[in-house]
């Protein structure tokens, strides 16, 4: 494990940023919206489609506290949405970043070597003006820079407010994105880490080599890039050699290339959150019982009773700033690609190094069932 690199300069156009939205391209946005509402407790807030003047696609904006997910599908067999879904299955297309000045962010990103996707564009409706620009990142994933200080609508032009929530669903109290992880190809982790340093001015928070992250059978490498405020964190994983197939390689095979592996979502009461999600039917990776035998010695005193965590399969890790609790869902679609992490931080900036082994043994069991280990 290593840490370091230059902190982001305070006047970089991407220094004071936050998550804006995450957009998934999916085969059937109407049904996907219902799944994320009924399983994860999101509310539908707005819609864009032919009825709102946006031809060829349907998009549903789902919200929960500071989380904003957009689910988009194509109404035609051609075009970038249909192509994306055919190749990747349901997956994350766009990680939208809230910026103060979208033009300055875009110019800095291009000067840093980013590939342009869409130059800065202003769009208007009765709620004001929004400025957007987009650049490419790993695989077919993009980042849209969103400047919304001149806009008071529900989301952005094209979207019409239409609130819908499911009264019978347990509300899990999901708060905001904590980090968003990308899986990239063999030997590509360092260059994508450099990308976030050059293009975003990010610094490396931590890195893990295959000795940190391996089991008897499988391995991966990871490094975490962050803005100076630790708001927006992008861990990057690549596969590493082991006796059997790395879970990252399995992802790359099914996703047909690099893409978002998981989105970590913050809660301030993980036990209540997991109880609500389980009652809504969400499946989590199982944690071997043996994990809890040494837990107290490894993490010291924590507020939660170990039995309560064991019963729910919640993992714990500690660093010198505090501790964190985490758990991972099973994949969110039939291809074993993107999944969620639920995380509660109690001071810690950790990414769960102490849990990698237990977690990967659990993932290997799932790989074995799929015949891809
Ligand atoms: Fe994570």
């Amino acid at each position: 494990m290593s840490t370091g690199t230059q902190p982001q300069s305070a006047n970089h156009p991407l220094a004071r940023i936050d998550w804006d939205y995450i957009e998934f391209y999916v085969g059937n946005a109407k049904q996907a919206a219902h799944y994320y509402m009924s399983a994860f407790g999101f509310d539908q807030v707005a819609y864009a489609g032919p009825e709102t003047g946006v031809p060829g696609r349907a998009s549903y904006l789902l919200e929960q506290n500071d989380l904003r997910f957009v689910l988009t599908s194509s109404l035609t067999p051609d075009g970038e949405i249909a192509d994306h879904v055919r190749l990747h299955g349901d997956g994350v297309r766009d990680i939208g970043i809230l910026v103060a000045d979208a033009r300055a962010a875009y110019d800095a990103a291009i000067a840093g070597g980013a590939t342009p996707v869409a130059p800065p564009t202003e769009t208007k409706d009765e709620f004001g003006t929004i400025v957007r620009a987009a650049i490419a990142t790993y695989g077919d994933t993009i980042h849209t820079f969103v400047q919304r200080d001149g806009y008071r609508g529900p989301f952005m032009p094209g979207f019409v407010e239409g609130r819908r929530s499911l009264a019978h669903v347990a509300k899990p109290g999901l708060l905001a994105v904590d980090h968003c992880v990308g899986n990239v190809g063999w030997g590509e982790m360092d260059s994508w880490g450099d990308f976030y340093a050059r293009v975003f001015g990010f610094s490396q928070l931590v890195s893990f080599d295959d000795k940190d992250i391996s089991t008897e059978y499988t391995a991966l490498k990871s490094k975490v890039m962050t803005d100076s405020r630790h708001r927006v964190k992008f861990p990057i994983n690549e596969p590493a050699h082991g006796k059997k197939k790395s879970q990252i390689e399995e992802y790359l095979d099914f996703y047909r290339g690099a893409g978002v592996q998981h989105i970590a979502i913050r809660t301030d009461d993980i036990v209540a959150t997991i109880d609500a999600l389980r009652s809504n039917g969400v499946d989590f990776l199982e944690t071997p019982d043996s994990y809890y035998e040494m837990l107290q010695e490894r993490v010291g005193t924590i507020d939660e009773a170990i039995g309560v965590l064991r019963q729910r399969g919640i993992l714990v890790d500690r660093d010198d700033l505090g501790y964190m609790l985490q758990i991972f869902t099973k994949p969110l679609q039939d291809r074993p690609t993107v999944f969620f992490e639920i995380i509660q931080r109690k001071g810690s900036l950790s990414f769960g190094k102490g849990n990698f082994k237990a977690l990967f043994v659990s993932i290997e069991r799932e790989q074995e069932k799929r015949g891809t280990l």
Side-chain angles (χ1 to χ4, degrees), residues 26-42:
V26 298
N28 186 337
K30 184 176 201 157
Q31 289 189 5
H34 197 275
Y35 168 72
Y36 287 101
M37 291 170 76
S38 61
F40 291 94
F42 282 85

Side-chain angles (χ1 to χ4, degrees), residues 228-362:
S228 57
R229 302 190 303 167
H230 294 169
R231 285 287 169 86
V232 175
K233 287 159 286 187
F234 293 128
I236 309 285
N237 296 332
E238 72 172 45
H241 290 287
K243 279 191 208 161
K244 296 195 175 183
K245 191 187 239 185
S246 170
Q247 57 173 287
I248 309 304
E249 197 179 355
E250 185 201 37
Y251 173 101
L252 297 169
D253 287 350
F254 277 94
Y255 199 71
R256 299 296 169 106
V260 169
Q261 179 211 35
H262 74 265
I263 299 162
I265 301 174
R266 281 196 298 107
T267 168
D268 58 15
D269 184 351
I270 196 166
V271 172
T273 295
I274 298 315
D275 286 350
L277 293 175
R278 278 194 203 278
S279 78
N280 292 340
V282 175
D283 288 328
F284 294 93
L285 287 178
E286 281 151 32
T287 306
D289 238 21
S290 57
Y291 172 85
Y292 295 94
E293 284 159 19
M294 303 292 288
L295 184 61
Q296 192 84 70
E297 281 164 53
R298 194 163 59 74
V299 300
T301 308
I302 55 172
D303 301 334
E304 297 75 13
I306 300 286
V308 167
L309 302 179
R310 179 200 292 250
Q311 208 181 8
R312 292 161 179 82
I314 295 169
L315 308 166
V316 191
D317 196 28
R318 183 181 279 286
D319 62 15
D320 38 10
L321 298 170
Y323 69 97
M324 58 90 114
L325 305 121
Q326 63 180 169
I327 189 167
F328 296 85
T329 71
K330 291 189 179 174
L332 301 167
Q333 54 294 305
D334 290 309
R335 296 195 204 188
T337 54
V338 66
F339 57 88
F340 289 153
E341 170 183 349
I342 310 297
I343 183 168
Q344 180 178 6
R345 294 191 180 277
K346 292 197 159 179
S348 168
L349 284 174
S350 160
F351 287 81
K353 176 174 188 272
N355 293 328
F356 289 156
K357 209 154 227 161
L359 177 64
F360 293 170
V361 167
S362 180

Side-chain angles (χ1 to χ4, degrees), residues 198-249:
R198 277 186 290 111
V199 169
F200 282 69
F202 279 12
S203 56
Q204 184 180 310
L205 186 61
V206 62
S207 81
F208 307 101
D209 63 23
D210 44 350
K211 285 181 275 309
D212 294 317
I213 316 183
S214 64
T215 66
E216 190 187 344
Y217 297 113
T218 67
L220 64 85
K221 297 181 194 178
S222 187
K223 64 167 52 171
V224 181
M225 304 303 292
T226 183
D227 67 317
S228 57
R229 302 190 303 167
H230 294 169
R231 285 287 169 86
V232 175
K233 287 159 286 187
F234 293 128
I236 309 285
N237 296 332
E238 72 172 45
H241 290 287
K243 279 191 208 161
K244 296 195 175 183
K245 191 187 239 185
S246 170
Q247 57 173 287
I248 309 304
E249 197 179 355

